Amino acid sequence: MIDVIIIGAGPAGLSAAIYVERTGKHAVCFEKLTVGGQIVNTPEIANYPGIKKTSGFEFSMGLYEQATELGAEVIYDRVNSVVSQDGGTDEASGGGTFFKVSTDSGKEYEAKAVIIATGAKNRHLGLDNEEKLTGRGVSYCATCDGAFFKGKDVAVNGGGNTALEDALFLTNYCNKVYIIHRRDEFRGEPQNLEAVKTKDNIEFVLNSTVAELKGDKALEAVVVKDKNTGEEREIPVSGLFIAIGQEPDNGDFAPVADLDKGGYVVADESCLTKTPGIFVAGDCRTKAVRQLTTAASDGAVAALAACSYIG
Ligand code: NAP
């Protein structure tokens, strides 16, 4: 019987693991992809209190080492179900409720408490060709794939911090970077926007959406549609970096945790879901601010609440 199973080894999940281990209990994180979650792809973090500047990768590795050196385990497998079980007279579970956690590899684990820290996945445009051209010009990660576009013209779609930082990063490699955004105001921080405006090889394509992806074996151009005039323009690019935000992936947990209309897990101040013993932390929960700092903060709150629940 594991004390606390944490679903996800991003900043929220690993922060929770650190706090669980520091209370003397044992944490096992399940991660379907890579430790660090989305932040691993961020080239630069400059807004985490106490750390002036670091990369997403360095930050993630630091979290991972801190958690595992304290005794937390990370298992690379995807959790697909959490079911409450009545422990009855079972001594290992303390006679109370415990949780059966199943994974894609067909394994089952038991835990006294569970923390859902699944983060969010990249939102797709939903265009024809998008899946087919992913990895052939279409990408959701500029830091991972930017270097493949050395000397080429590329576009970034989105107006948040990710899009602005991606565009800045891509100017290091690419001949020209178009920023295609559906409005003329940006969700990203003013500092990022100012930095983008200083670059000669960035062109803004505003009030516009990507209407079509052209290319058969690889991306050759994007067709953008001006939202005000309806006019369409074809822009030849070899790369399109889609940075239009994230969406949660919590459907598997709907039987044990209420989800809001966007699919985020609803919880109270202590990160408790509707099921005693099941907590939620980080970007996957209903909240106003989704930042690294708030993910780490949730991890600490959920872990301490879970440890207090176990007793
Ligand atoms: P985001 O802030 O949600 O921005 C998504 C952008 O994509 C918005 O500009 C949005 O337009 C646009 N968009 C959404 N759906 C679209 C669609 N279907 N078609 C076209 N455009 C669409 O996402 P993000 O930039 O990935 O950032 C997520 C969170 O991480 C934010 O809190 C951000 O501050 C944080 N972050 C922080 C850092 C950092 O601190 N270094 C770096 C990256 C991200 P509208 O504006 O019109 O809605």
Side-chain angles (χ1 to χ4, degrees), residues 22-87:
R22 283 176 62 88
T23 66
K25 301 210 165 20
H26 186 45
V28 177
C29 293
F30 285 83
E31 172 55 54
K32 67 175 178 184
L33 213 60
T34 46
V35 291
Q38 298 168 62
I39 202 71
V40 84
N41 298 322
T42 298
E44 186 179 289
I45 297 167
N47 59 0
Y48 195 88
I51 301 175
K52 271 195 190 164
K53 206 177 267 189
T54 184
S55 71
F57 180 78
E58 202 176 335
F59 184 84
S60 303
M61 289 307 107
L63 264 181
Y64 172 76
E65 280 165 23
Q66 196 177 356
T68 51
E69 281 171 17
L70 282 164
E73 283 173 72
V74 176
I75 295 175
Y76 293 89
D77 203 351
R78 183 181 168 277
V79 171
N80 56 34
S81 122
V82 177
V83 178
S84 296
Q85 302 278 315
D86 183 357

Side-chain angles (χ1 to χ4, degrees), residues 38-39 42-48 54 122-126 157-166 180-189 192 208-210 227 242-246 264 283 288-292 294:
Q38 298 168 62
I39 202 71
T42 298
E44 186 179 289
I45 297 167
N47 59 0
Y48 195 88
T54 184
N122 292 318
R123 185 175 287 133
H124 290 207
L125 285 166
N157 188 199
N161 278 324
T162 304
L164 296 176
E165 290 185 2
D166 282 359
I180 303 163
H181 178 36
R182 65 184 178 182
R183 291 190 294 145
D184 58 3
E185 283 178 357
F186 286 80
R187 203 174 277 273
E189 289 169 16
N192 279 337
S208 299
T209 52
V210 179
K227 277 177 61 188
I242 299 170
I244 58 167
Q246 286 84 34
Y264 293 95
D283 282 8
V289 181
R290 292 193 172 84
Q291 288 280 308
L292 194 50
T294 59

